[in-house]
Amino acid sequence: MVGRISHLIQQRARVNFLQQIKRSLNTKAETKAGRDGPTAVVFMNMGGPGNQGEVRDFLHRLFSDGDIIPFGRFQKIFANIITRLRTSKIQKQYAAIGGGSPIRKWSDLQAKETCRILDKTSPSSAPHLPYVAFRYAHPLTEDVYSKLLADGFGKRGRAVAFSQYPQYSCGTTGSSINELFRCREKLESADSRINWSIIDRWPAHHKFVEAVAHNIKATLATYPSERRKDVTIIFSAHSQPMSAVNQGDAYSSEVSATVYAVMQHLGFPNPYRLCWQSKVGPQPWLGPQTSEVVEKFIQKGDQHLLLVPIAFTSDHIETLYELDEELIGESGHADTIKRAESLNDSPLFIEALADMVKEHIDSGDKSSRQFGNRCVDCQKNVCRDARGMFAGDTI
């Protein structure tokens, strides 16, 4: 009963919040320009196909990116082969979750509402204009860069590149930044240069941690009170090749930092584990795999598990299909193996996003101090040059 009441309260709060967003987006009055405005807030993410017809192009762009899965001079061949082999299978997976990825919907909502809040909390940098730039799906980074220039940001104001990956990785945030640099070289001119800064990581931001913890507590409340403390919390993040880990990529350590910060916020009420999902290809990847860990728990007779997507801030195929459909749906224990909601339209999360941007603007920094740290033995000129867009100077 307590769990059901908690769920109803949470749903009512979400409905009220979405109604506030709708009213704000319908407001016609323009925000007064601040002394440092306008500010473009560019939400960067990998994106996802909006429908099954976009799956092939999405996969081909993904596997063509040597920053995420490097195959050197064989990259193009690898991309063509893997795309051909996986397109039909992935199309069926998207069909099972409604036909396409909802990440564009959530990204648009988060960006717009973040800017609405910023217009109130940071008037000196107003108006704040939302943009969403995806790496492998529309709106593609190059198209968004062209729009920024068309909107006048090459001659006035500033742009904040806001990575929507909480934990930094060369294959996610790094890839988006490299693409941003390539667009700059291709599209800008001497008299039209965008004034960039970047929020490149936020694994333990206190409001992000609070938002994740809130969703965990809400789902824990749906378990019987006598079993609640025995539920094992399984944090699940996208895995990565061990070659990247051994090169010093920060991702796995920053995911671990997020997990610890969340459990510390909760007061360590339950046992917990960090696992990894979505392995692709024959190379060794970071483990243990989430599906294997859940299977072993079930074999031991422990079916009270709570899955928490800790590196995905919005629902997409890794949560809706891999966790919900495959792992939970096929476990035979969907009543006791549950998943915490993704952050999506969480009011706490959107407040966190707005706070991060305001803190970044107020700091005057162009990036985090850690941003200039490249992987050991990194020889990519684009990684070096892309950091030159942000590192070193202040705004």
Side-chain angles (χ1 to χ4, degrees):
M1 176 63 74
V2 173
R4 185 167 181 269
I5 292 173
S6 174
H7 179 72
L8 290 172
I9 292 173
Q10 185 183 31
Q11 291 298 104
R12 176 60 61 85
R14 174 161 296 169
V15 168
N16 292 339
F17 180 67
L18 289 174
Q19 289 174 343
Q20 291 173 14
I21 292 176
K22 186 175 181 180
R23 286 194 295 270
S24 71
L25 295 180
N26 289 333
T27 300
K28 301 300 182 182
E30 292 187 359
T31 300
K32 184 179 179 180
R35 67 176 186 273
D36 300 322
T39 301
V41 183
V42 184
F43 276 49
M44 301 188 307
N45 210 327
M46 70 184 299
N51 56 63
Q52 290 168 266
E54 297 177 4
V55 169
R56 186 191 179 283
D57 288 345
F58 171 78
L59 292 177
H60 193 266
R61 294 187 191 105
L62 176 70
F63 292 118
S64 295
D65 183 5
D67 288 328
I68 192 167
I69 304 178
F71 272 84
R73 59 195 179 99
F74 300 107
Q75 194 77 42
K76 186 175 181 180
I77 297 172
F78 168 79
N80 289 336
I81 292 173
I82 297 299
T83 298
R84 186 170 63 251
L85 292 175
R86 291 181 64 85
T87 294
S88 178
K89 175 183 177 181
I90 301 302
Q91 285 176 330
K92 292 176 182 176
Q93 292 179 0
Y94 276 107
I97 64 169
S101 172
I103 195 170
R104 173 71 185 275
K105 175 184 74 173
W106 294 127
S107 297
D108 282 342
L109 184 150
Q110 292 160 359
K112 289 174 182 176
E113 182 60 9
T114 294
C115 287
R116 187 191 71 82
I117 295 172
L118 284 167
D119 283 343
K120 295 180 179 179
T121 61
S122 185
S124 64
S125 53
H128 302 86
L129 304 178
Y131 296 81
V132 172
F134 287 154
R135 185 68 179 86
Y136 312 116
H138 295 287
L140 292 166
T141 303
E142 183 172 339
D143 296 333
V144 176
Y145 209 111
S146 295
K147 188 173 190 319
L148 286 165
L149 292 171
D151 289 347
F153 280 98
K155 298 181 181 299
R156 63 191 175 93
R158 60 179 292 175
V160 177
F162 192 1
S163 174
Q164 291 306 293
Y165 308 101
Q167 305 90 8
Y168 182 90
S169 172
C170 294
T172 53
T173 301
S175 175
S176 291
I177 293 306
N178 289 349
E179 182 67 5
L180 204 65
F181 173 76
R182 286 187 283 264
C183 292
R184 183 189 196 192
E185 295 296 290
K186 178 179 179 180
L187 299 172
E188 288 192 357
S189 60
D191 62 347
S192 182
R193 305 283 282 183
I194 297 176
N195 181 21
W196 284 103
S197 65
I198 182 173
I199 302 172
D200 52 89
R201 68 195 75 209
W202 31 282
H205 188 276
H206 66 283
K207 283 197 173 179
F208 165 55
V209 168
E210 181 184 359
V212 175
H214 175 83
N215 284 5
I216 290 174
K217 287 190 286 188
T219 310
L220 279 174
T222 66
Y223 288 88
S225 57
E226 67 274 12
R227 298 303 305 266
R228 198 169 298 153
K229 65 181 177 59
D230 298 320
V231 174
T232 299
I233 301 173
I234 297 181
F235 293 92
S236 186
H238 201 296
S239 188
Q240 68 175 160
M242 284 304 299
S243 58
V245 178
N246 293 334
Q247 280 289 311
D249 190 288
Y251 175 68
S252 58
S253 61
E254 293 192 5
V255 171
S256 298
T258 303
V259 169
Y260 191 86
V262 170
M263 291 306 301
Q264 188 173 49
H265 183 90
L266 290 168
F268 298 98
N270 295 73
Y272 69 99
R273 288 179 180 269
L274 170 58
C275 305
W276 310 88
Q277 66 178 92
S278 310
K279 177 182 182 295
V280 177
Q283 296 176 327
W285 281 51
L286 194 63
Q289 290 294 302
T290 306
S291 57
E292 295 174 359
V293 170
V294 170
E295 183 179 349
K296 289 176 181 177
F297 268 101
I298 293 173
Q299 289 173 355
K300 293 189 298 183
D302 189 349
Q303 293 99 32
H304 289 78
L305 309 173
L306 171 55
L307 303 177
V308 180
I310 198 61
F312 311 113
T313 57
S314 300
D315 275 325
H316 53 326
I317 197 167
E318 283 84 355
T319 57
L320 297 174
Y321 187 81
E322 289 186 30
L323 295 183
D324 292 354
E325 296 290 328
E326 282 190 325
L327 204 158
I328 297 176
E330 298 175 9
S331 69
H333 301 281
D335 55 332
T336 57
I337 301 178
K338 305 181 183 183
R339 176 174 71 86
E341 284 194 44
S342 298
L343 295 174
N344 293 337
D345 57 354
S346 159
L348 285 174
F349 178 55
I350 293 176
E351 288 174 13
L353 295 175
D355 275 14
M356 285 182 236
V357 178
K358 185 179 187 304
E359 290 164 8
H360 172 74
I361 290 172
D362 290 347
S363 75
D365 294 333
K366 296 197 75 173
S367 67
S368 72
R369 294 294 300 276
Q370 187 70 1
F371 184 62
N373 254 352
R374 294 164 63 193
C375 290
V376 177
D377 295 329
C378 177
Q379 302 297 319
K380 292 183 179 180
N381 291 338
V382 68
C383 291
R384 177 198 65 209
D385 296 340
R387 279 159 175 73
M389 289 177 62
F390 307 100
D393 299 325
T394 57
I395 291 294

